[in-house]
């Protein structure tokens, strides 16, 4: 690993108020100090004004991926929204000919151009960047100077995090900061599960807060043909996430128009992400993972039905038709055409297809392409993949980063050993890499299982650890983490994707920004820092925080009154992990939110309904429900004593649903553990089967039906009195009856509730 290079003149410190926290990515530091630790800027006593320099306000960056780059002024307006949210004050924004002197600024925040040495505003490979910024904090002003509009924007992320940690104060100091890599991205599989526009936007907001720069939108795919309940191939789940305007292409949607983004929806999502510094890189898969095409046009498939027959005269024209429809939607310089896991014996067809698509996309739209890459036998013809095509390396045996560099390809690090997640369950027993259910932070903090080796995007090979690209390699663009829905659309909720990626986005964003030259993370501060910031990042509420009372007690408490009708408006939205929901019922009812519904019907069926899938309460023993398998949290193998049969609920009854992301939603009826909500999961190649937890948020918007008499919800997972704790449960959190998932702390709940209460 290369030695760390310091790129700042003075310390930007985190207040002692939160000594266990650090901002993510951490700001560069030296021992040189420009101000004393007692010298602070205070939002409360400031003028509540933001000024932006006129000449800088109109600047937009041409060196990023997006073709709709916001101006600095547009970024400033978004910053203003976030500043109001974070501080609880109303700020104003004014464009001025020149910024006031720092000493006369009356506590204003000043936005302008970088004033220092332009040579410092470069990626680790030496290429100049508009993403760098300087930050100068004094008691009388905060100055953020960007080498471009995005640089100023990333500086505002640093300021907001410092404000949160410092309780609306900033310790005076100076910093100069720039990312080590341009590609700092996250990908999740929207081809095997539908994700709404609102969820995609919230994820962009969350990722941007940790200085992620790309959302790789994997928008088409299908359930693996080598697992599942042996459906005929025409019945296997496949999905395409965009709604064609050309009605002749509706065959790729398979009748699920309600689970697609229209052109207007896509543009809204793309603009939202761009306004937060995130470029959307869309991926349409071919020639593999193509049931979305072959179910529409079966004649275009090979014997393995999700592979396209590239020699059929209509195959490539069909794929071009699809791209021709959607290329005008994509306001980005580079798109992803998939191209992984194809038949290795068809090298000539595969290489010809990839090169032809690169030429077609470029000639049609001026864009370049990325591919995943896949192993091929030696082609019969003297051909190879064009060096103009970027390759997103994901596994050794599929490609070799050093060989790709020799051939002149730009590369992106998505090596599956560290970068991949399998939502809900891994691919066990498929090797060499099983994919963790939640991002494995130890593979970044201790790369290659070497204690203290903090991963950077130059670290690909965790086996032959000396075989890495140089830190300064100009062809290494950066890194993208990836979460896959191989277990299908019903195996998780949309919000469970967030919990899968939550740690990885913050952690990888930090390390891809710092690279080998910037500050390393303090391992002991990573989890508490992510816990603290995650519910507080602006323009999202992925944790579904419900503000509670200032005193101890439940977050929400409701008892039916004589004036309540069959429909009652609670108006609390949803409560995310962790929680304990207690319901007293003497008949049917339904609790609803925009996320899901929880209902008890007249036949005694207690059911969560989310994303169009029905999840009844199923019988699970106390041991199976509460004792977690350390390697497969929430997974119950099929050969246990639990029956997993639906449970019939008799009324009157007290229902307790205690939930975190690892245990899922576990249910007690009148104090006796009855089971949990779960899903059957087919293991890799149908060799292992299991039941896995479903972690539902609690719907708290509307009550329907007169059967519900009382409701309370608390902000932690508690085992009802009378149940026994199991040896495999996580350690208690302040109570012998309290669970928490590994990342959730009471500090987060209190801080988030306080922030939400301000809004």
């Amino acid at each position: 690993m290369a030695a760390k290079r310091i790129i700042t003149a003075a310390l930007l410190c985190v207040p002692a108020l939160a000594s266990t926290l650090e901002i993510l990515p951490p700001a560069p530091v030296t021992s040189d100090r420009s101000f004393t630790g007692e010298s602070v800027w205070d939002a409360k006593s400031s003028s509540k004004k933001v000024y932006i320099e006129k000449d800088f306000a109109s600047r937009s960056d041409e060196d990023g991926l997006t073709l709709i780059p916001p101006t600095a002024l547009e970024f400033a307006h978004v910053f203003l929204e976030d500043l109001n949210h974070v501080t609880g004050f109303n700020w104003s924004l004014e464009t001025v000919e020149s910024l006031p002197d720092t000493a006369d600024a009356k506590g204003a925040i000043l936005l302008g151009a970088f004033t220092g040495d332009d040579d410092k505003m470069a990626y680790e490979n030496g290429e100049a960047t508009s993403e760098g910024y300087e930050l100068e904090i004094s008691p009388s002003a905060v100055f953020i100077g960007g080498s471009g509009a995005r640089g100023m924007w990333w500086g505002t992320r640093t300021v907001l995090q410092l404000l949160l940690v410092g309780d609306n104060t900033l310790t005076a100091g100076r910093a100069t900061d720039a990312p080590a890599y341009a590609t700092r991205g996250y990908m999740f599989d929207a081809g095997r599960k539908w994700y709404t526009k609102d969820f995609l936007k919230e994820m962009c907001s969350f990722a941007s807060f940790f200085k992620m720069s790309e959302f790789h939108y994997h928008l088409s795919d299908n359930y693996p043909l080598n697992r599942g309940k042996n459906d005929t191939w025409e019945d296997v789940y496949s999905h395409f996430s965009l709604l064609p305007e050309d009605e002749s292409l509706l065959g790729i949607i398979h009748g699920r128009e309600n689970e697609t983004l229209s052109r207007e929806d896509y543009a809204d999502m793309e603009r939202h992400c761009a306004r937060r510094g995130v470029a959307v890189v869309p991926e349409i898969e071919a020639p593999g993972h193509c049931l979305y095409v072959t179910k529409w046009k079966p004649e275009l498939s090979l014997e393995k039905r999700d592979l396209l027959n590239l020699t059929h005269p209509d195959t490539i024209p069909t794929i071009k038709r699809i791209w021709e429809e959607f290329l005008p939607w994509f306001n980005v310089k580079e798109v992803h055409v998939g191209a992984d896991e194809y038949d290795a014996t068809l090298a000539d067809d595969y290489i010809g297809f990839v090169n032809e698509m690169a030429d077609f996309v470029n000639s049609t739209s001026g864009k370049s392409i990325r591919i995943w890459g896949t192993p091929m036998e030696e082609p019969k013809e003297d051909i190879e993949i064009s060096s103009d095509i970027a390759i997103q390396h994901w596994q050794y045996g599929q490609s070799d980063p050093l060989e790709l560099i020799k051939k002149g390809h730009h590369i992106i690090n998505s090596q599956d050993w560290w970068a991949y997640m399998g939502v809900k369950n891994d691919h066990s027993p498929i090797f060499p890499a099983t994919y963790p259910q939640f991002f494995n932070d130890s593979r970044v903090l201790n790369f290659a299982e070497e204690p203290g080796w903090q991963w950077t995007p130059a670290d690909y090979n965790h086996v032959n650890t000396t075989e890495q690209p140089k830190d300064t390699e100009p062809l290494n663009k950066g890194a993208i983490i990836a979460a896959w829905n191989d277990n299908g659309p019903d195996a998780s909720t949309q919000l469970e994707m967030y919990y899968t990626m939550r740690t990885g986005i913050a952690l990888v964003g930090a390390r891809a920004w710092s690279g080998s030259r910037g500050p390393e993370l303090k391992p002991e501060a990573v989890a508490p820092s992510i816990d603290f910031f995650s519910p507080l990042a602006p323009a999202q509420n992925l944790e579904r925080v419900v503000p509670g009372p200032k005193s101890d007690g439940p977050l929400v408490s409701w008892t039916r009154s004589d004036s309540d009708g069959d429909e009652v408006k609670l108006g609390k939205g949803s409560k995310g992990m962790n929680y304990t929901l207690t319901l007293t019922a003497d008949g049917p009812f339904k609790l609803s939110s925009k996320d899901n519904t929880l209902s008890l019907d007249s036949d005694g069926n207690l059911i969560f309904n989310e994303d169009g899938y029905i999840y009844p309460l199923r019988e699970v023993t106390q041991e199976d429900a509460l004792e977690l398998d350390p390697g497969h949290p929430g997974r119950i193998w099929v050969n246990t004593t639990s029956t997993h049969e639906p449970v019939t609920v008799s009324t009157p009854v007290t229902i307790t649903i205690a939930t975190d992301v690892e245990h899922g939603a576990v249910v007690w009826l009148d104090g006796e553990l009855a089971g949990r909500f779960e899903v059957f999961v087919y293991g890799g190649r149908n060799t292992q089967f299991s039941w896995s937890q479903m972690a539902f948020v609690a719907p708290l918007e509307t009550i329907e039906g007169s059967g519900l008499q009382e409701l309370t919800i608390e902000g932690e997972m508690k085992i009802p009195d009378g149940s026994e704790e199991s040896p495999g449960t996580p350690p208690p959190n302040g109570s012998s009856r309290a669970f928490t998932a590994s990342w959730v702390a009471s500090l987060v709940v209190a801080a988030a509730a306080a922030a939400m209460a301000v809004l």
Side-chain angles (χ1 to χ4, degrees), residues 35 39-42 102-103 107 136-143 170-173:
F35 302 95
S39 186
V40 299
W41 176 93
D42 191 332
T102 298
E136 181 175 344
I137 301 168
S138 71
S140 58
V142 175
F143 172 67
L170 304 174
T171 301

Side-chain angles (χ1 to χ4, degrees), residues 322-343:
I322 294 170
W323 274 102
E324 200 166 31
E325 169 78 357
F326 294 107
L327 277 171
W329 295 28
F330 303 150
N331 290 298
V332 70
K333 297 176 183 177
E334 194 168 304
V335 296
H336 203 302
V337 302
D340 68 319
E341 296 187 310
Y342 193 62
D343 188 329

Side-chain angles (χ1 to χ4, degrees), residues 197 200-201 217 265-273 280:
K197 178 185 71 170
L200 301 180
K201 290 168 67 173
Y217 185 24
D265 290 336
Y266 185 88
D268 180 42
M269 181 271 291
E270 188 183 43
R271 282 193 305 268
H272 175 90
C273 293
V280 180

Side-chain angles (χ1 to χ4, degrees), residues 179-190:
Y181 292 87
T183 297
R184 310 178 302 279
Y186 66 102
M187 184 229 88
F188 56 83
D189 178 2

Side-chain angles (χ1 to χ4, degrees), residues 28-40:
V29 296
T30 70
S31 58
D32 183 16
R33 295 284 297 278
S34 296
F35 302 95
T36 65
E38 292 74 30
S39 186
V40 299

Side-chain angles (χ1 to χ4, degrees), residues 47-49 80 83-85 87-92:
S47 63
K48 316 296 187 303
K49 293 183 181 296
L80 191 72
L83 192 62
N84 291 339
H85 171 84
T87 66
F89 301 125
N90 290 320
W91 292 73
S92 63

